[in-house]
Amino acid sequence: MSITNSNDRLASIEGDIQVGYVEKNKRIEWSKIHKIDVDSIIKNSSTSSESDLQLEELYPLLTTYSIRPDEYEKLKVEDLVQLFRVSQLVMELKNMYLEQAESQIQMLESQLESREPSTTHSQIENLKQDITDLEKRNEKLVGELAKTEVQLEAEKKKSSAYIMQLQTEKGKTTTFSSTIQKLQSEIKDLEVQVSVQKDRVKEKGLEEDGVRNMLKGKNSEINQYLSDIELLTTQNKLLEDEVEVLAQELEATVLELE
């Protein structure tokens, strides 16, 4: 592809590109310009990667260089010739890069145009199948979610029942504890009464048999109270164990819900 063709291609799209030219206000660094060996670069163009790099580094400088009026008298023809030749090399290098890029673009366009429609059709069919599979999977997940929600609701109700039962059992335990405390208080009162009766017997000189019978009666009453307390204590212990089991089941249910 020639420079003319490249320019024609650029001209065809110039309406889509807004060109912004940089300001030319930097003094020319003549040492960098004269450092370029133009003849050597042209002679070894096929293996001059280092020289290409030098030209690439010069490109942004060339776009901002400016020859100022105070340099006119000092300039030599050799300087201008060297500047011109270096600029030619830089433009030629940029044009080669442009041609390579255009060639790659044309190759990619050709590959896209030569691609068989069946391939695209096959891809579309595969996408449709993927969409169908995803819809089925989504439907299955929705069904599983509904089942999980039903199970969760059942577990919540079961947990609520456990909580109510636990509260009931705690109430029973509190009642038994109150009853035990009351019986223990009554036993203390009876013991006080026995002690008082003994003192009275001693004072009044009652017969020994009468005292024994009275003590037996009181002892029997005390023993009955003690038996009641023991029974209530056993029942209270059973209730505490049952409450503990219910609490463990409730805790396990809460963990499952989480």
Side-chain angles (χ1 to χ4, degrees), residues 116-244:
E116 296 182 2
S118 60
T119 302
T120 304
H121 178 72
S122 175
Q123 291 176 346
I124 292 174
E125 290 299 321
N126 289 335
L127 288 174
K128 287 182 178 179
Q129 183 61 43
D130 291 341
I131 291 172
T132 301
D133 293 340
L134 288 173
E135 288 176 347
K136 290 180 179 179
R137 183 181 178 186
N138 183 61
E139 184 177 353
K140 181 180 178 182
L141 289 174
V142 170
E144 292 178 353
L145 178 61
K147 291 181 180 178
T148 303
E149 289 177 348
V150 172
Q151 292 176 353
L152 180 62
E153 189 64 27
E155 291 297 333
K156 286 182 178 179
K157 291 180 179 179
K158 185 177 179 181
S159 177
S160 298
Y162 276 136
I163 292 173
M164 292 180 65
Q165 187 176 357
L166 182 61
Q167 291 175 346
T168 302
E169 296 299 332
K170 284 183 177 180
K172 291 181 180 179
T173 302
T174 302
T175 302
F176 279 128
S177 298
S178 299
T179 304
I180 290 172
Q181 290 177 357
K182 183 179 179 181
L183 290 174
Q184 288 175 341
S185 177
E186 291 179 358
I187 288 174
K188 289 181 179 179
D189 292 340
L190 287 173
E191 288 176 346
V192 172
Q193 292 178 13
V194 170
S195 177
V196 171
Q197 292 293 336
K198 285 182 178 180
D199 293 338
R200 287 179 179 177
V201 167
K202 289 180 180 179
E203 292 175 358
K204 295 181 179 180
L206 297 176
E207 295 182 357
E208 186 176 349
D209 290 337
V211 173
R212 286 179 180 175
N213 291 332
M214 181 182 63
L215 291 177
K216 285 181 180 180
K218 294 295 182 179
N219 287 333
S220 176
E221 190 174 351
I222 290 173
N223 289 332
Q224 182 62 43
Y225 277 124
L226 290 175
S227 298
D228 292 341
I229 290 174
E230 184 177 359
L231 177 61
L232 289 172
T233 302
T234 302
Q235 290 178 348
N236 190 44
K237 182 62 172 62
L238 292 175
L239 282 175
E240 288 178 352
D241 293 340
E242 187 176 352
V243 168
E244 184 177 356

Side-chain angles (χ1 to χ4, degrees), residues 15 22 26 40 71 78 91 113 154 159 163 202 205 215 255:
V22 297
K26 292 186 178 179
S40 176
E71 297 179 298
E78 291 82 1
M91 287 189 295
E113 291 174 357
S159 177
I163 292 173
K202 289 180 180 179
L215 291 177
L255 292 175

Side-chain angles (χ1 to χ4, degrees), residues 24-141:
K24 281 56 174 181
N25 56 6
K26 292 186 178 179
R27 288 184 179 274
I28 298 176
E29 298 178 71
W30 291 105
S31 59
K32 292 185 178 181
I33 300 298
H34 286 291
K35 186 178 179 181
I36 304 298
D37 189 346
V38 177
D39 293 328
S40 176
I41 291 175
I42 295 174
K43 183 178 179 180
N44 303 307
S45 59
S46 60
T47 58
S48 57
S49 58
E50 184 177 351
S51 60
D52 290 349
L53 181 59
Q54 291 177 335
L55 294 174
E56 275 290 318
E57 292 175 350
L58 269 180
Y59 174 74
L61 299 176
L62 288 173
T63 61
T64 57
Y65 280 160
S66 173
I67 301 176
R68 301 183 180 184
D70 60 349
E71 297 179 298
Y72 290 167
E73 294 181 0
K74 299 178 183 179
L75 287 175
K76 299 177 181 179
V77 175
E78 291 82 1
D79 295 332
L80 296 176
V81 171
Q82 177 68 8
L83 178 61
F84 179 75
R85 297 185 71 192
V86 170
S87 299
Q88 281 184 316
L89 287 179
V90 171
M91 287 189 295
E92 188 175 358
L93 179 64
K94 287 296 181 181
N95 185 66
M96 285 190 294
Y97 287 162
L98 177 61
E99 288 180 347
Q100 291 176 0
E102 290 180 342
S103 176
Q104 292 177 353
I105 291 172
Q106 289 180 347
M107 182 179 65
L108 291 173
E109 288 176 347
S110 299
Q111 291 177 356
L112 289 174
E113 291 174 357
S114 63
R115 181 175 294 179
E116 296 182 2
S118 60
T119 302
T120 304
H121 178 72
S122 175
Q123 291 176 346
I124 292 174
E125 290 299 321
N126 289 335
L127 288 174
K128 287 182 178 179
Q129 183 61 43
D130 291 341
I131 291 172
T132 301
D133 293 340
L134 288 173
E135 288 176 347
K136 290 180 179 179
R137 183 181 178 186
N138 183 61
E139 184 177 353
K140 181 180 178 182
L141 289 174

